[in-house]
């Protein structure tokens, strides 16, 4: 029987999400690609337990996480029953709808039919009455935004979600989504964009500015760029790594000699800060408080421990930031 660590709230900083009452841990656990049947159940259990013991109270999912789609939600549902049932009210659990889940015209995107059907399926897989945050995973170019946001509002009205968010929306789309939801009476809580030292689009395209103006929180995914911003590739492409498998999310061609050279330079800065490259990359997205939380994945409990180590130094001086920019933007 699992008993959570009594000091689990001692070290993790929690940040208020926009202008809501909800606080998120600086680091949240994403169950994207390590919670399918191809991964040992005991490894999955160890990751979740260690994360919670370290103050990671937010578990982030989507209907299509696994693989296969739905597997991560089903896995979490089992662990909620066996390990985390006494701690449900200490957890923030989020899921999303937007990507392909079943065949036919109602199995993806942003129609009211799909979004609410997907949420019902997600709740059934996880064995929950409600999720804390429910997202539109991507904007639908063919469905009026009023319909998609109306579906999110209905999820709250039905008691199936406490808060709602969007992911992969542009600054302009986010402003419009916030306006629609505000008029309906369900505020937009949070946006989940991709953001890292190597991917500055939320800065360059004005998304972070829009979120500041709207007082909407943010939780960023891929802050380590699929593991590129870690020590894994500093000396080549190791066997068994994501790049070695030529994953659709990271292939060996992306790891050019120039990129590896820049990663080594970034690693030197991280060492001078007393951090690993991964820890510095996480600290960088969290710097200054504009980002509410950074999503990390993990294939082992040790990886969670390493990531949480980033919270020991979240501050950068002007020289460090200038050196990082010079390396990344060269």
């Amino acid at each position: 029987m699992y008993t959570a660590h009594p000091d689990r709230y001692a070290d993790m900083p929690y940040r208020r999400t926009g202008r809501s009452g909800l606080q998120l841990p600086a680091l949240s656990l994403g169950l994207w690609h390590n919670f399918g049947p191809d991964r040992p159940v005991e490894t999955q259990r160890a990751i979740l337990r260690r994360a919670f013991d370290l103050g990671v109270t937010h578990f982030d999912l989507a209907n299509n996480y696994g693989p296969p789609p739905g597997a991560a939600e089903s896995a979490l549902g089992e662990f909620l029953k066996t390990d985390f049932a006494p701690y449900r009210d200490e957890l923030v659990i989020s899921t999303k709808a937007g990507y392909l889940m079943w065949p036919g015209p109602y199995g993806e995107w942003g129609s009211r039919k799909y979004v609410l059907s997907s949420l019902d399926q997600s709740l059934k897989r996880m064995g929950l009455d409600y999720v804390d945050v429910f997202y539109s995973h991507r904007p639908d170019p063919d469905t009026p935004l009023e319909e998609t946001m109306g579906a999110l509002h209905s999820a709250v009205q039905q008691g199936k979600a406490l808060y709602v968010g969007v992911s992969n929306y542009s600054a302009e789309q986010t402003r419009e989504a916030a306006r629609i939801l505000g008029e309906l009476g369900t505020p937009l809580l949070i946006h989940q964009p991709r953001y890292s030292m190597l991917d500055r689009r939320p800065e360059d395209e004005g998304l972070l500015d829009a979120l500041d103006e709207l007082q909407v929180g943010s939780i960023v995914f891929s802050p380590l760029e699929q593991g590129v911003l870690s020590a894994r590739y500093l000396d080549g492409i190791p066997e068994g790594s994501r790049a070695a498998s030529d994953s659709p999310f990271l292939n060996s061609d992306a790891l050019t000699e120039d990129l590896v050279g820049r990663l080594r330079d970034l690693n030197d800065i991280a060492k001078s800060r007393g951090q690993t490259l991964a820890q510095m990359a996480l600290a960088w997205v969290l710097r200054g408080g504009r980002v509410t939380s950074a999503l990390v994945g993990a294939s082992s409990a040790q990886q969670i421990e390493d990531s949480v180590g980033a919270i020991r130094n979240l501050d950068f001086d002007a020289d460090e930031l200038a050196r990082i920019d010079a390396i990344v933007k060269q």
Side-chain angles (χ1 to χ4, degrees):
M1 184 70 179
Y2 167 64
T3 301
H5 198 286
D7 296 329
R8 57 190 175 278
Y9 296 112
D11 298 317
M12 177 64 68
Y14 296 86
R15 297 178 168 189
R16 189 165 299 280
T17 311
R19 61 191 297 268
S20 77
L22 183 68
Q23 298 183 59
L24 291 180
L27 293 176
S28 298
L29 179 64
L31 278 67
W32 175 46
H33 248 225
N34 292 310
F35 285 82
D38 59 331
R39 306 286 177 154
V41 170
E42 287 309 310
T43 300
Q44 297 177 32
R45 174 176 280 112
I47 291 168
L48 292 168
R49 287 182 173 184
R50 190 64 183 131
F52 190 59
D53 283 346
L54 291 170
V56 178
T57 54
H58 179 207
F59 297 160
D60 178 77
L61 300 99
N63 55 2
N64 63 329
Y65 287 0
E73 289 178 331
S74 296
L76 181 63
E78 290 301 313
F79 296 125
L80 287 172
K81 285 189 292 188
T82 59
D83 291 59
F84 294 99
Y87 307 105
R88 171 62 183 101
D89 291 336
E90 295 184 45
L91 289 169
V92 174
I93 298 172
S94 60
T95 196
K96 314 176 192 73
Y99 286 92
L100 181 65
M101 282 300 291
W102 60 85
Y106 321 120
E108 61 179 327
W109 293 108
S111 71
R112 181 178 181 85
K113 179 171 176 59
Y114 165 72
V115 169
L116 293 177
S117 295
S118 176
L119 177 56
D120 285 341
Q121 292 181 20
S122 292
L123 292 174
K124 185 176 181 179
R125 282 190 288 266
M126 291 187 283
L128 294 174
D129 295 324
Y130 71 94
V131 290
D132 297 278
V133 187
F134 182 46
Y135 289 87
S136 169
H137 206 166
R138 59 174 173 171
D140 183 342
D142 299 317
T143 297
L145 194 56
E146 289 83 357
E147 180 173 340
T148 305
M149 294 304 105
L152 296 186
H153 170 66
S154 292
V156 173
Q157 294 297 103
Q158 294 167 7
K160 296 176 182 178
L162 301 185
Y163 302 93
V164 298
V166 297
S167 181
N168 299 303
Y169 278 53
S170 70
E172 181 181 358
Q173 290 166 333
T174 301
R175 285 191 174 93
E176 183 65 5
R179 182 193 66 77
I180 295 166
L181 285 167
E183 291 178 354
L184 291 170
T186 297
L188 177 62
L189 173 81
I190 196 166
H191 190 298
Q192 187 173 133
R194 180 170 182 153
Y195 182 48
S196 74
M197 285 195 293
L198 298 180
D199 188 343
R200 308 287 184 94
R201 284 176 292 177
E203 289 179 12
D204 299 339
E205 298 174 1
L207 177 61
L208 294 185
D209 290 337
L211 297 179
D212 288 343
E213 293 165 16
L214 296 167
Q215 294 183 281
V216 168
S218 59
I219 179 168
V220 300
F221 69 91
S222 291
L224 302 182
E225 284 295 313
Q226 307 294 326
V228 171
L229 287 168
S230 72
R232 180 171 296 178
Y233 300 108
L234 296 178
D235 298 306
I237 300 175
E239 187 176 339
S241 66
R242 182 167 289 169
S245 68
D246 279 334
S247 158
F249 305 104
L250 177 66
N251 59 64
S252 55
D253 292 340
L255 289 158
T256 63
E257 185 176 336
D258 172 69
L259 176 57
V260 172
R262 286 188 284 158
L263 294 175
R264 289 171 179 158
D265 291 340
L266 290 171
N267 190 53
D268 289 340
I269 300 175
K271 286 180 179 178
S272 72
R273 290 170 49 82
Q275 292 180 314
T276 65
L277 176 55
Q279 288 169 343
M280 184 178 77
L282 293 170
W284 185 89
V285 298
L286 292 167
R287 75 198 187 286
R290 293 190 85 186
V291 167
T292 312
S293 184
L295 272 171
V296 295
S299 58
S300 67
Q302 179 63 49
Q303 280 192 350
I304 280 290
E305 293 173 2
D306 291 345
S307 293
V308 170
I311 66 175
R312 290 193 287 268
N313 185 7
L314 297 179
D315 297 322
F316 290 81
D317 62 36
D319 179 64
E320 288 173 329
L321 291 174
R323 289 167 62 199
I324 289 169
D325 284 350
I327 292 167
V328 170
K329 297 179 179 180
Q330 69 185 14

